[in-house]
Amino acid sequence: MTTAGNTARPRGRIDKQQAILAAAFAVFARSGYAQTRMDQIAAEAGVAKATVYSHFGDKEQVFRHAVQALSDAALESNLAVVEQLADPGADLGATLRSVGAELIRCYCSPESRALRRLVCAEAAQFPGLTETMDEVSGRVVRALADRLARLALTGTLRIDDPDLAAAQWAALLTGPLRARYKFGAEPLPDAEVQAVSAGAVTTFLAAFGH
Amino acid sequence: MTTAGNTARPRGRIDKQQAILAAAFAVFARSGYAQTRMDQIAAEAGVAKATVYSHFGDKEQVFRHAVQALSDAALESNLAVVEQLADPGADLGATLRSVGAELIRCYCSPESRALRRLVCAEAAQFPGLTETMDEVSGRVVRALADRLARLALTGTLRIDDPDLAAAQWAALLTGPLRARYKFGAEPLPDAEVQAVSAGAVTTFLAAFGH
Amino acid sequence: MTTAGNTARPRGRIDKQQAILAAAFAVFARSGYAQTRMDQIAAEAGVAKATVYSHFGDKEQVFRHAVQALSDAALESNLAVVEQLADPGADLGATLRSVGAELIRCYCSPESRALRRLVCAEAAQFPGLTETMDEVSGRVVRALADRLARLALTGTLRIDDPDLAAAQWAALLTGPLRARYKFGAEPLPDAEVQAVSAGAVTTFLAAFGH
Amino acid sequence: MTTAGNTARPRGRIDKQQAILAAAFAVFARSGYAQTRMDQIAAEAGVAKATVYSHFGDKEQVFRHAVQALSDAALESNLAVVEQLADPGADLGATLRSVGAELIRCYCSPESRALRRLVCAEAAQFPGLTETMDEVSGRVVRALADRLARLALTGTLRIDDPDLAAAQWAALLTGPLRARYKFGAEPLPDAEVQAVSAGAVTTFLAAFGH
DNA sequence: TATGAATGAGGATTCATTCAT
DNA sequence: TATGAATGAATCCTCATTCAT
């Protein structure tokens, strides 16, 4: 129903929904919740303001939908990266470094930073928002834990508590990053990515390797 | 005449400054930047709205000063905790666990959460804000690195790069915390504190202990 | 469909525009630019304040439109009077006196005084305002010059430079009026009108009659 | 203390009065009544705002004093010009043209334009202001009438009603000027001055010469 | 008198939201 | 459903004026 639509009108509605959501993503990410005007969203979506209302009810709903969509996307790309651990190859260290680097890049992508800013900013006013975020990182860490558990099973790693190990690896990857890369607009230098990932792997293997 | 002030008024100016700043801290932390009304700040400070303006110029300046003061306070209490590592005592593990736990508590104190929310929320609109935050965590990590370097010198730990070790320890402490404890309003259960701190120490010592 | 308007609403937009402009005329004329509150205009127009803004953008634009409309009206009534010279009748002096008196009355009508006050008052802050006014009096004088040129052609008057003669006649009509009648609120006594007009005609005919 | 100042204080008060008035002139003339802030006046006068209040009571009084002083100055310079008619010399036309030109320049001096703007603008809100202005132009016209009467006595001119003649001459001088020169900021071109003055003299002499 | 600080009343403007078409 | 127009509530900021010193 979403993609078929070769007859003229049935898709109009859905197209507009999508356009509105896309516009909302963009504007909220750019300006934050409070700074965002419904007019901007409508304009960027190419529809009338009232149309936005008839689709989503009010500003808060538009926001929640936008955040949800950003979260879904972020979750998906993170999981895709984690999946690369399914087949670690010969050089475990190298694989960990590469996957770690990609996780860092996901974590610092413009979309992720924007999402983090939005959630963080509105955590107080929008109950349930932090839960959404916990959900995302929780599922990523769990997926990571799954992979690590497999590697422990095969004896590649020496892990008692895969959840803890996963959480700590994630922490070692994202913790040392400067705030300006986590929240700010500054582009993340590749050297930083490599260094942090390498450092994380060294410590991680010292604790969980052989 | 300005500083003696045992008679009633000469200090009035400064008192009001302080009162306004304190009120601003509170209100911004509660409601976020955009939701905060200048009236609220003035009322909470017990002064007229125009007085706030004559002291700080406009809302943005009030905000910046408030954030600065919160940052200063946060930095100070973090540094005080780190200083406890100066004399690690006999049981290094226990000391690390205890200091780690206190650092976590600092990190999740209501003030710190509020500060994080505010900075994060307004990072896009207020250039320089993330730098302020980097500065704080940077200095804490550096102080931590100083302590770790001493312990490496005395042979208590085995550390090549104290800065990296410090950053990683901090990461192991704060990274695994759920978003609801970092940004949300939920109170931080002591069990979580203990568990995370203990886990961090184990991994840390595995990498940097004997 | 827009102009027929036997169904209720299509003309609503235009009606409101008109209502707002009319209200703005009145209030600005009464109180001057700075003293005028947007609320007053909105109230007097019977619309919401925001409607005024959505139609005109800001106070300055409302003002400019109001002035423009007042100017247009003033121009029109002045031209109508001047047109009476097209057929001067047998007694030229009497006609000139009568037309002069009417021009003085136009010049001192409440609307004209208000317009003069507004333009004069805000000349410094609103570039282009004086030009608008010059335009009005310029066109009136030119129309007058046209009439005088005709009378010169028929030999009724002896005029070399009709533009100069017109400007001077206008000057003789309005120049001798006391400020209180040009700008003030005082009603213009008919005796004053007659006297000034008669004096103007005498001098004018001495210079340009036979 | 600022200029003469050999004894220390006694003149301080008066100096400040003067400074305040001078500043008020300048600022009101620049910005109009409503746009003028008491702070600006105080700042430009180099005193504290409260000092302005202790000298003049409130904004309106400051304004009235400023207008009065501007009026006095304007009156004085106009009268000085008129006085040149006391000894008209051999070529009456030339003298009239020269005096007329100077009157036009007085009339369009920055101070006079400012004064006209201020009075005109606030005529509605400040009763008595137009009277002040009538007083000025009234006295100038009367002085002019005095001179014309003398010239009539000596047979140089042929005037029945010197007051009317004076008013009309003044009208012929100022009436034809464009609004931008009367109220606006545009500098008055000398050619305009000459032309208007010459035209006025021609018509005036046609009516009142031999 | 001179002043720096404080204030209360007020005003322009914005924006989420709703209606009538 | 889509829209242009209308709105009312809210908010930042300004400024004439007053006090205490």
Side-chain angles (χ1 to χ4, degrees), chain C residues 33-77:
Chain C
Y33 180 77
Q35 288 295 326
T36 294
R37 316 286 159 224
M38 294 298 269
D39 311 45
Q40 299 171 12
I41 295 179
E44 190 139 338
V47 302
K49 215 188 332 180
T51 304
V52 179
Y53 279 92
S54 80
H55 275 273
F56 294 98
D58 67 2
K59 192 181 179 183
E60 180 175 334
Q61 293 308 316
V62 177
F63 181 69
R64 295 198 116 106
H65 283 260
V67 165
Q68 192 55 249
L70 275 169
S71 294
D72 293 349
L75 175 58
E76 196 167 354
S77 40

Side-chain angles (χ1 to χ4, degrees), chain A residues 9-91:
Chain A
R9 269 298 140 66
R11 304 201 47 227
R13 239 170 310 178
I14 291 169
D15 284 355
K16 299 221 164 167
Q17 281 254 32
Q18 301 291 354
I20 293 170
L21 266 188
F25 299 165
V27 184
F28 279 127
R30 264 206 313 273
S31 324
Y33 180 76
Q35 286 295 324
T36 295
R37 317 286 161 224
M38 293 297 268
D39 309 49
Q40 297 172 17
I41 296 178
E44 191 140 337
V47 302
K49 214 185 342 177
T51 305
V52 179
Y53 278 90
S54 69
H55 275 274
F56 293 97
D58 67 3
K59 190 182 180 183
E60 183 176 331
Q61 293 309 315
V62 177
F63 181 69
R64 296 199 115 107
H65 281 261
V67 165
Q68 193 55 250
L70 275 169
S71 294
D72 293 349
L75 176 58
E76 193 166 354
S77 40
N78 273 288
L79 290 181
V81 173
V82 170
E83 227 34 45
Q84 298 176 11
L85 279 180
D87 179 15
D91 185 346

Side-chain angles (χ1 to χ4, degrees), chain D residues 51-83:
Chain D
T51 305
V52 179
Y53 278 90
S54 69
H55 275 276
F56 293 97
D58 67 2
K59 191 181 179 182
E60 182 176 331
Q61 293 309 315
V62 177
F63 181 69
R64 296 199 115 105
H65 282 260
V67 165
Q68 193 54 249
L70 276 169
S71 294
D72 292 350
L75 176 58
E76 194 167 356
S77 39
N78 274 288
L79 290 182
V81 172
V82 170
E83 226 35 44

Side-chain angles (χ1 to χ4, degrees), chain A residues 120-133:
Chain A
C120 181
E122 306 305 326
Q125 342 290 330
F126 290 88
L129 221 52
T130 47
E131 282 68 20
T132 297
M133 218 185 180

Side-chain angles (χ1 to χ4, degrees), chain B residues 21-99:
Chain B
L21 268 187
F25 299 164
V27 185
F28 278 127
R30 263 205 315 272
S31 322
Y33 180 78
Q35 288 295 325
T36 294
R37 317 286 158 221
M38 294 298 269
D39 311 46
Q40 298 172 11
I41 295 178
E44 190 138 339
V47 302
K49 212 189 335 181
T51 304
V52 178
Y53 279 92
S54 79
H55 275 273
F56 293 98
D58 67 2
K59 192 180 180 183
E60 179 175 334
Q61 292 308 315
V62 177
F63 180 69
R64 295 200 115 106
H65 282 260
V67 165
Q68 192 55 249
L70 275 169
S71 294
D72 292 349
L75 175 58
E76 196 167 355
S77 40
N78 273 289
L79 290 181
V81 172
V82 169
E83 228 33 46
Q84 298 176 9
L85 279 180
D87 180 15
D91 185 347
L92 178 62
T95 305
L96 287 175
R97 269 188 295 278
S98 143
V99 168

